[in-house]
Amino acid sequence: MEIGIDSFAAAPDTGVALSGAQAMEQLLARIERADQVGLDVFGIGEHHRPEYLDSAPTVILAAAAARTKRIRLTSAVTVLSAADPVRVFQQFATLDLISQGRAEMVVGRASSVEAFPLFGLDMADYDALFAEKLELLLTIRAHEHVHWQGKFRPALTGQGIYPRPVQQPLPIWIGVGGTPQSFVRAGALGLPLMVAVIGGETHRFRPLVDLYREAGRRAGFAPEQLPVGLHSLGYVAETSEQARTEFFPGYARTFSARARERGGLPVTRAQFDAQAGPTGALLVGSPEEVAAKIQRHSEALGGIARVTFQQDVAALPHEQVLRSIELIGTRIAPLLR
Protein backbone atom coordinates (compact mmCIF):
# COMPACT_ATOMS: atom_id res chain seq x y z
CA MET A 1 0.00 0.00 0.00
CA GLU A 2 1.28 3.47 -0.92
CA ILE A 3 0.97 6.17 1.75
CA GLY A 4 0.87 9.90 1.08
CA ILE A 5 -0.35 13.40 1.87
CA ASP A 6 -2.74 15.68 -0.02
CA SER A 7 -2.84 19.44 0.48
CA PHE A 8 -5.06 22.26 -0.71
CA ALA A 9 -2.36 24.83 0.12
CA ALA A 10 -4.58 26.54 2.67
CA ALA A 11 -3.87 30.27 2.85
CA PRO A 12 -3.62 32.14 6.16
CA ASP A 13 -6.51 34.39 7.15
CA THR A 14 -4.52 37.63 7.27
CA GLY A 15 -4.61 38.37 3.53
CA VAL A 16 -1.06 39.77 3.72
CA ALA A 17 1.07 38.88 0.70
CA LEU A 18 4.08 37.93 2.83
CA SER A 19 1.93 35.58 4.87
CA GLY A 20 0.89 33.88 1.65
CA ALA A 21 4.55 33.50 0.73
CA GLN A 22 5.27 32.06 4.16
CA ALA A 23 2.41 29.59 3.81
CA MET A 24 3.79 28.45 0.45
CA GLU A 25 7.25 27.98 1.94
CA GLN A 26 5.76 25.91 4.74
CA LEU A 27 3.93 23.76 2.20
CA LEU A 28 7.15 23.08 0.29
CA ALA A 29 8.86 22.21 3.58
CA ARG A 30 6.10 19.70 4.29
CA ILE A 31 6.60 18.06 0.91
CA GLU A 32 10.34 17.87 1.62
CA ARG A 33 9.67 16.26 5.00
CA ALA A 34 7.30 13.74 3.41
CA ASP A 35 10.08 12.83 0.98
CA GLN A 36 12.64 12.54 3.77
CA VAL A 37 10.52 10.18 5.89
CA GLY A 38 9.82 7.88 2.95
CA LEU A 39 6.22 8.64 2.02
CA ASP A 40 5.22 7.57 -1.48
CA VAL A 41 3.18 10.47 -2.84
CA PHE A 42 2.23 14.12 -2.23
CA GLY A 43 -0.79 15.66 -3.93
CA ILE A 44 -1.79 19.29 -4.47
CA GLY A 45 -5.43 20.20 -5.06
CA GLU A 46 -6.89 22.86 -7.33
CA HIS A 47 -9.23 25.59 -6.11
CA HIS A 48 -9.99 29.15 -7.11
CA ARG A 49 -11.01 30.50 -3.72
CA PRO A 50 -9.41 33.04 -1.35
CA GLU A 51 -8.67 30.50 1.39
CA TYR A 52 -6.46 28.35 -0.86
CA LEU A 53 -3.19 28.95 -2.74
CA ASP A 54 -3.48 25.99 -5.15
CA SER A 55 -4.95 27.52 -8.31
CA ALA A 56 -1.76 26.54 -10.21
CA PRO A 57 -0.85 23.12 -8.75
CA THR A 58 1.74 22.15 -11.36
CA VAL A 59 3.79 25.23 -10.44
CA ILE A 60 3.82 24.14 -6.78
CA LEU A 61 4.65 20.56 -7.75
CA ALA A 62 7.50 21.71 -9.99
CA ALA A 63 8.98 23.71 -7.10
CA ALA A 64 8.64 20.60 -4.94
CA ALA A 65 10.30 18.45 -7.61
CA ALA A 66 13.44 20.56 -7.33
CA ARG A 67 13.53 20.01 -3.55
CA THR A 68 12.75 16.27 -3.39
CA LYS A 69 14.33 13.06 -4.64
CA ARG A 70 11.92 10.13 -4.67
CA ILE A 71 8.38 11.06 -3.68
CA ARG A 72 5.76 10.97 -6.43
CA LEU A 73 4.07 14.31 -7.17
CA THR A 74 0.43 14.47 -8.20
CA SER A 75 -2.62 16.69 -8.45
CA ALA A 76 -5.49 16.12 -6.05
CA VAL A 77 -7.45 16.84 -8.19
CA THR A 78 -7.00 18.66 -11.50
CA VAL A 79 -10.33 20.25 -12.47
CA LEU A 80 -10.22 18.85 -15.99
CA SER A 81 -13.70 20.11 -16.91
CA ALA A 82 -12.47 23.71 -16.67
CA ALA A 83 -9.10 23.18 -18.38
CA ASP A 84 -7.68 22.59 -21.84
CA PRO A 85 -6.47 18.96 -21.95
CA VAL A 86 -3.60 19.96 -24.26
CA ARG A 87 -2.24 22.38 -21.67
CA VAL A 88 -2.89 19.95 -18.81
CA PHE A 89 -0.87 17.26 -20.57
CA GLN A 90 1.93 19.68 -21.45
CA GLN A 91 2.17 20.91 -17.87
CA PHE A 92 2.31 17.45 -16.33
CA ALA A 93 4.66 16.14 -19.01
CA THR A 94 6.98 19.03 -18.17
CA LEU A 95 6.65 18.22 -14.47
CA ASP A 96 7.53 14.61 -15.31
CA LEU A 97 10.71 15.77 -17.02
CA ILE A 98 11.67 18.05 -14.12
CA SER A 99 11.03 15.32 -11.55
CA GLN A 100 12.66 12.61 -13.71
CA GLY A 101 9.56 10.46 -13.94
CA ARG A 102 7.72 11.17 -10.67
CA ALA A 103 4.63 13.04 -11.97
CA GLU A 104 1.03 11.84 -11.85
CA MET A 105 -2.36 13.48 -12.11
CA VAL A 106 -5.73 12.81 -10.54
CA VAL A 107 -8.46 14.37 -12.67
CA GLY A 108 -12.04 15.04 -11.71
CA ARG A 109 -15.16 17.09 -12.31
CA ALA A 110 -14.66 19.12 -9.08
CA SER A 111 -16.86 19.39 -6.03
CA SER A 112 -15.95 23.08 -5.74
CA VAL A 113 -17.37 24.61 -8.90
CA GLU A 114 -15.95 28.14 -8.78
CA ALA A 115 -13.80 27.36 -11.84
CA PHE A 116 -16.88 27.17 -14.07
CA PRO A 117 -17.94 30.84 -13.92
CA LEU A 118 -14.30 31.92 -13.69
CA PHE A 119 -13.51 30.37 -17.07
CA GLY A 120 -16.88 31.11 -18.67
CA LEU A 121 -18.28 27.58 -18.57
CA ASP A 122 -21.90 26.51 -18.19
CA MET A 123 -22.74 24.28 -15.22
CA ALA A 124 -25.35 22.63 -17.43
CA ASP A 125 -22.40 21.02 -19.25
CA TYR A 126 -20.86 19.74 -16.00
CA ASP A 127 -20.59 16.08 -16.96
CA ALA A 128 -20.35 16.48 -20.75
CA LEU A 129 -17.32 18.75 -20.36
CA PHE A 130 -15.48 16.21 -18.23
CA ALA A 131 -16.30 13.24 -20.46
CA GLU A 132 -15.12 14.98 -23.61
CA LYS A 133 -11.98 16.43 -22.07
CA LEU A 134 -11.03 13.13 -20.46
CA GLU A 135 -11.33 11.45 -23.86
CA LEU A 136 -9.01 14.05 -25.38
CA LEU A 137 -6.51 13.83 -22.51
CA LEU A 138 -6.24 10.05 -22.91
CA THR A 139 -5.88 10.44 -26.68
CA ILE A 140 -3.01 12.89 -26.18
CA ARG A 141 -1.38 10.53 -23.72
CA ALA A 142 -1.52 7.71 -26.27
CA HIS A 143 -0.55 9.66 -29.41
CA GLU A 144 2.10 12.28 -30.13
CA HIS A 145 0.12 13.56 -33.13
CA VAL A 146 -3.58 13.92 -32.44
CA HIS A 147 -6.62 13.79 -34.71
CA TRP A 148 -9.68 14.65 -32.63
CA GLN A 149 -12.93 16.57 -32.79
CA GLY A 150 -15.38 17.50 -30.05
CA LYS A 151 -17.99 20.02 -28.96
CA PHE A 152 -16.17 22.21 -26.44
CA ARG A 153 -12.77 22.72 -28.08
CA PRO A 154 -11.47 23.37 -31.60
CA ALA A 155 -10.53 20.20 -33.46
CA LEU A 156 -7.01 18.83 -33.62
CA THR A 157 -5.91 17.76 -37.09
CA GLY A 158 -2.63 15.98 -36.51
CA GLN A 159 -0.76 18.55 -34.44
CA GLY A 160 2.05 17.26 -32.26
CA ILE A 161 1.63 17.68 -28.48
CA TYR A 162 4.93 18.38 -26.69
CA PRO A 163 6.86 17.70 -24.56
CA ARG A 164 6.40 13.97 -24.11
CA PRO A 165 6.84 12.67 -20.55
CA VAL A 166 9.49 10.33 -19.16
CA GLN A 167 6.82 7.82 -18.09
CA GLN A 168 4.99 5.88 -20.78
CA PRO A 169 2.18 6.16 -20.04
CA LEU A 170 1.97 9.16 -17.74
CA PRO A 171 -0.18 7.97 -14.79
CA ILE A 172 -3.72 9.38 -14.79
CA TRP A 173 -6.13 8.57 -11.95
CA ILE A 174 -9.82 9.46 -11.77
CA GLY A 175 -10.91 11.27 -8.60
CA VAL A 176 -14.49 10.52 -7.51
CA GLY A 177 -16.91 11.37 -4.72
CA GLY A 178 -20.20 9.53 -4.49
CA THR A 179 -21.62 9.51 -8.02
CA PRO A 180 -22.09 5.93 -9.32
CA GLN A 181 -21.59 6.97 -12.95
CA SER A 182 -18.13 8.29 -12.10
CA PHE A 183 -17.08 4.93 -10.65
CA VAL A 184 -18.41 3.09 -13.71
CA ARG A 185 -16.63 5.46 -16.11
CA ALA A 186 -13.28 4.97 -14.40
CA GLY A 187 -13.65 1.20 -14.50
CA ALA A 188 -14.72 1.11 -18.15
CA LEU A 189 -11.63 3.12 -19.07
CA GLY A 190 -9.33 0.98 -16.93
CA LEU A 191 -8.04 3.99 -14.99
CA PRO A 192 -6.91 3.95 -11.34
CA LEU A 193 -9.56 5.25 -8.93
CA MET A 194 -9.05 7.74 -6.08
CA VAL A 195 -12.09 7.87 -3.78
CA ALA A 196 -12.55 10.94 -1.58
CA VAL A 197 -14.27 9.96 1.68
CA ILE A 198 -14.37 12.92 4.05
CA GLY A 199 -17.41 12.00 6.12
CA GLY A 200 -19.72 9.17 7.03
CA GLU A 201 -18.58 5.56 7.25
CA THR A 202 -16.00 4.47 4.72
CA HIS A 203 -17.34 0.91 4.34
CA ARG A 204 -20.52 2.31 2.80
CA PHE A 205 -18.55 3.07 -0.37
CA ARG A 206 -18.05 -0.65 -1.06
CA PRO A 207 -21.01 -0.95 -3.48
CA LEU A 208 -19.60 1.95 -5.53
CA VAL A 209 -16.11 0.41 -5.57
CA ASP A 210 -17.69 -2.87 -6.66
CA LEU A 211 -19.34 -0.99 -9.55
CA TYR A 212 -15.90 0.26 -10.59
CA ARG A 213 -14.33 -3.17 -10.49
CA GLU A 214 -17.21 -4.81 -12.32
CA ALA A 215 -17.14 -2.15 -15.06
CA GLY A 216 -13.41 -2.72 -15.44
CA ARG A 217 -13.85 -6.50 -15.61
CA ARG A 218 -16.49 -6.17 -18.30
CA ALA A 219 -14.18 -3.89 -20.27
CA GLY A 220 -11.47 -6.55 -20.18
CA PHE A 221 -9.14 -5.18 -17.51
CA ALA A 222 -7.43 -7.41 -14.97
CA PRO A 223 -7.89 -6.67 -11.23
CA GLU A 224 -4.29 -5.47 -10.91
CA GLN A 225 -5.04 -2.82 -13.54
CA LEU A 226 -7.76 -1.33 -11.34
CA PRO A 227 -6.12 0.00 -8.16
CA VAL A 228 -8.27 1.89 -5.66
CA GLY A 229 -6.96 4.77 -3.56
CA LEU A 230 -8.57 6.42 -0.52
CA HIS A 231 -8.34 10.15 0.25
CA SER A 232 -9.44 11.03 3.80
CA LEU A 233 -9.08 13.80 6.34
CA GLY A 234 -6.44 12.80 8.85
CA TYR A 235 -3.92 13.79 11.48
CA VAL A 236 -1.59 11.74 13.67
CA ALA A 237 -0.05 12.47 17.07
CA GLU A 238 1.68 10.36 19.73
CA THR A 239 -1.64 9.47 21.36
CA SER A 240 -5.18 9.35 20.08
CA GLU A 241 -6.38 11.84 22.68
CA GLN A 242 -3.67 14.33 21.70
CA ALA A 243 -4.50 13.96 17.99
CA ARG A 244 -8.21 14.52 18.52
CA THR A 245 -7.73 17.39 20.96
CA GLU A 246 -5.44 19.20 18.51
CA PHE A 247 -7.43 18.47 15.34
CA PHE A 248 -10.97 19.11 16.57
CA PRO A 249 -11.00 22.93 16.99
CA GLY A 250 -9.93 23.72 13.43
CA TYR A 251 -12.02 20.90 12.00
CA ALA A 252 -15.09 22.19 13.85
CA ARG A 253 -14.54 25.76 12.63
CA THR A 254 -14.23 24.66 9.01
CA PHE A 255 -17.19 22.31 8.89
CA SER A 256 -19.41 24.47 11.07
CA ALA A 257 -18.84 27.34 8.64
CA ARG A 258 -19.78 25.08 5.72
CA ALA A 259 -22.88 23.93 7.57
CA ARG A 260 -23.96 27.52 8.20
CA GLU A 261 -23.63 28.29 4.49
CA ARG A 262 -26.11 25.48 3.81
CA GLY A 263 -28.46 26.20 6.70
CA GLY A 264 -27.10 23.42 8.91
CA LEU A 265 -25.95 23.18 12.54
CA PRO A 266 -22.43 23.50 13.99
CA VAL A 267 -20.27 20.38 14.36
CA THR A 268 -20.27 18.90 17.87
CA ARG A 269 -17.46 17.05 19.61
CA ALA A 270 -19.65 13.95 19.79
CA GLN A 271 -20.10 13.99 16.01
CA PHE A 272 -16.36 14.41 15.54
CA ASP A 273 -15.54 11.55 17.91
CA ALA A 274 -17.94 9.30 16.00
CA GLN A 275 -16.19 10.15 12.73
CA ALA A 276 -12.83 9.42 14.37
CA GLY A 277 -14.15 6.09 15.67
CA PRO A 278 -13.55 2.62 14.21
CA THR A 279 -15.75 2.92 11.10
CA GLY A 280 -15.82 6.71 10.59
CA ALA A 281 -13.99 8.44 7.76
CA LEU A 282 -11.54 10.52 9.84
CA LEU A 283 -8.00 9.12 10.13
CA VAL A 284 -7.26 10.96 13.38
CA GLY A 285 -5.43 9.23 16.22
CA SER A 286 -2.22 7.53 17.26
CA PRO A 287 -0.05 5.80 14.64
CA GLU A 288 -1.15 2.35 15.72
CA GLU A 289 -4.85 3.25 15.87
CA VAL A 290 -4.82 4.93 12.47
CA ALA A 291 -2.85 2.09 10.84
CA ALA A 292 -5.37 -0.45 12.15
CA LYS A 293 -8.23 1.72 10.92
CA ILE A 294 -6.75 1.97 7.42
CA GLN A 295 -6.39 -1.81 7.35
CA ARG A 296 -10.08 -2.16 8.26
CA HIS A 297 -11.01 0.34 5.56
CA SER A 298 -8.95 -1.62 3.04
CA GLU A 299 -10.66 -4.88 3.95
CA ALA A 300 -14.10 -3.22 3.84
CA LEU A 301 -13.44 -1.83 0.35
CA GLY A 302 -11.98 -5.03 -1.04
CA GLY A 303 -8.37 -3.82 -0.94
CA ILE A 304 -6.87 -0.36 -1.44
CA ALA A 305 -3.55 0.39 -3.09
CA ARG A 306 -3.03 3.95 -1.81
CA VAL A 307 -4.19 6.11 1.07
CA THR A 308 -3.62 9.87 1.40
CA PHE A 309 -4.11 12.13 4.42
CA GLN A 310 -5.58 15.63 4.03
CA GLN A 311 -4.55 17.68 7.10
CA ASP A 312 -5.23 21.27 5.95
CA VAL A 313 -8.84 21.39 7.12
CA ALA A 314 -7.86 21.92 10.78
CA ALA A 315 -5.48 24.88 10.22
CA LEU A 316 -2.87 23.29 12.48
CA PRO A 317 0.48 24.93 13.35
CA HIS A 318 3.27 24.08 10.94
CA GLU A 319 5.37 22.15 13.45
CA GLN A 320 2.43 19.94 14.39
CA VAL A 321 1.79 19.11 10.73
CA LEU A 322 5.46 18.27 10.22
CA ARG A 323 5.37 15.95 13.24
CA SER A 324 2.22 14.27 11.90
CA ILE A 325 3.96 13.69 8.55
CA GLU A 326 6.92 12.14 10.38
CA LEU A 327 4.68 9.77 12.32
CA ILE A 328 2.81 8.77 9.16
CA GLY A 329 6.09 8.05 7.37
CA THR A 330 8.05 6.37 10.17
CA ARG A 331 5.35 4.53 12.13
CA ILE A 332 2.21 4.09 10.01
CA ALA A 333 3.75 3.35 6.62
CA PRO A 334 5.91 0.43 7.87
CA LEU A 335 2.84 -1.17 9.48
CA LEU A 336 0.79 -0.94 6.28
CA ARG A 337 3.57 -2.10 3.97
Side-chain angles (χ1 to χ4, degrees):
M1 187 186 298
E2 295 179 328
I3 317 298
I5 308 291
D6 288 333
S7 174
F8 294 166
D13 296 331
T14 61
V16 178
L18 179 61
S19 295
Q22 290 173 336
M24 189 65 74
E25 176 57 33
Q26 288 181 352
L27 173 59
L28 293 171
R30 294 171 187 179
I31 303 175
E32 281 191 272
R33 186 64 57 88
D35 186 50
Q36 292 163 359
V37 300
L39 289 178
D40 298 291
V41 61
F42 204 108
I44 301 294
E46 180 189 340
H47 297 83
H48 302 271
R49 300 169 59 94
E51 63 266 36
Y52 301 120
L53 300 172
D54 61 349
S55 63
T58 50
V59 178
I60 300 173
L61 293 169
R67 297 169 59 157
T68 57
K69 296 180 179 178
R70 59 167 299 278
I71 197 166
R72 299 190 65 76
L73 302 166
T74 186
S75 57
V77 303
T78 295
V79 185
L80 185 61
S81 303
D84 182 346
V86 173
R87 292 298 286 151
V88 169
F89 183 85
Q90 290 175 327
Q91 290 162 1
F92 279 90
T94 302
L95 174 64
D96 203 46
L97 297 178
I98 294 170
S99 65
Q100 299 184 20
R102 293 186 283 133
E104 297 184 1
M105 69 178 92
V106 181
V107 300
R109 298 184 302 176
S111 57
S112 297
V113 296
E114 65 275 357
F116 283 76
L118 181 63
F119 297 111
L121 301 169
D122 189 340
M123 280 295 298
D125 298 323
Y126 182 72
D127 190 67
L129 278 163
F130 181 73
E132 178 177 296
K133 293 186 177 188
L134 179 60
E135 176 196 355
L136 176 54
L137 180 64
L138 295 176
T139 301
I140 294 169
R141 182 175 72 163
H143 302 284
E144 181 175 331
H145 294 272
V146 177
H147 295 267
W148 178 90
Q149 186 171 358
K151 176 181 177 182
F152 299 106
R153 188 200 186 282
L156 293 170
T157 57
Q159 294 94 330
I161 310 298
Y162 304 108
R164 306 307 293 181
V166 174
Q167 299 175 90
Q168 296 294 339
L170 182 69
I172 297 175
W173 295 59
I174 299 289
V176 298
T179 305
Q181 293 87 344
S182 297
F183 286 79
V184 172
R185 173 163 42 210
L189 293 171
L191 295 174
L193 184 77
M194 179 59 69
V195 186
V197 183
I198 62 173
E201 295 181 310
T202 301
H203 67 86
R204 293 184 176 177
F205 279 74
R206 177 61 182 266
L208 295 171
V209 173
D210 287 345
L211 281 177
Y212 163 71
R213 292 183 169 129
E214 176 60 18
R217 184 192 68 79
R218 290 184 177 182
F221 296 101
E224 59 270 21
Q225 295 176 283
L226 302 167
V228 175
L230 176 64
H231 161 99
S232 295
L233 306 181
Y235 174 68
V236 182
E238 295 291 346
T239 68
S240 293
E241 181 58 32
Q242 178 188 352
R244 294 174 187 179
T245 298
E246 292 174 351
F247 194 78
F248 174 70
Y251 170 89
R253 283 194 303 272
T254 297
F255 281 91
S256 293
R258 293 182 185 178
R260 284 193 298 270
E261 290 175 1
R262 300 168 184 172
L265 298 173
V267 174
T268 67
R269 180 59 191 257
Q271 290 170 331
F272 169 77
D273 286 338
Q275 287 291 294
T279 61
L282 296 180
L283 302 177
V284 178
S286 69
E288 292 73 23
E289 181 187 25
V290 171
K293 187 171 185 177
I294 292 171
Q295 289 174 328
R296 287 196 299 273
H297 285 345
S298 181
E299 292 167 3
L301 296 177
I304 58 176
R306 174 180 290 184
V307 62
T308 57
F309 291 72
Q310 211 282 73
Q311 305 177 99
D312 293 356
V313 68
L316 292 159
H318 180 54
E319 291 303 322
Q320 290 182 12
V321 176
L322 288 178
R323 179 57 179 156
S324 177
I325 291 171
E326 289 178 359
L327 291 171
I328 293 168
T330 61
R331 290 174 59 180
I332 291 181
L335 291 173
L336 295 176
R337 291 170 182 155

